[in-house]
Amino acid sequence: MEKERAENIGKYISFIYRKGGGFISRGLSDIGLGFGQLMFLLELYRADGKSQEDLCELLNIDKGTTARAIKKLEEESFVIRFKDEHDKRAYNIYLTEKAKELKPSVFKVLDNWNEIITQGFEESEKELTLELLKRICRNASSK
């Protein structure tokens, strides 16, 4: 019975991820931003100037995927890379004015998705859901 419950949790998380990815991709396509680049952009919105290595570690994503996402963001003029002053092998990634100007549009799409998936929830249910999902992520990260 326990195994069946765990599989169901994964099934629903996967479903939400796929549906959310489609919704967010459609919402961001007009501004030239893909779902695969979104998490990198969000990290830079939190703190601009992070290194590619920092982004890899923070997002738990391999170097190749990170490099491709940063390259795409750079091609679409969302970010610019500069060599690190202290480590000439490393690059720091900075938001462009375009990315800064589009921040409200990016967050509007994310807010709309959150409204859709929590429709009919009481505020306390939203808070509990968020806390439980954070715990699930911590558990997943520990393995």
Side-chain angles (χ1 to χ4, degrees), residues 16-74:
I16 294 165
Y17 177 79
R18 289 190 319 275
K19 289 293 189 179
F23 180 89
I24 292 166
S25 290
R26 285 188 301 279
L28 298 176
S29 65
D30 290 349
I31 62 173
L33 184 62
F35 185 65
Q37 295 87 49
L38 177 63
M39 64 185 88
F40 296 94
L41 190 62
L42 293 175
E43 276 302 322
L44 293 169
Y45 281 144
R46 286 185 191 99
D48 201 8
K50 291 179 179 167
S51 71
Q52 283 186 218
E53 187 70 30
D54 289 342
L55 291 169
C56 288
E57 290 176 22
L58 286 165
L59 296 170
N60 197 26
I61 295 178
D62 66 84
K63 290 179 181 182
T65 301
T66 298
R68 285 187 296 277
I70 297 302
K71 181 178 180 189
K72 178 72 171 159
L73 286 169
E74 197 172 23

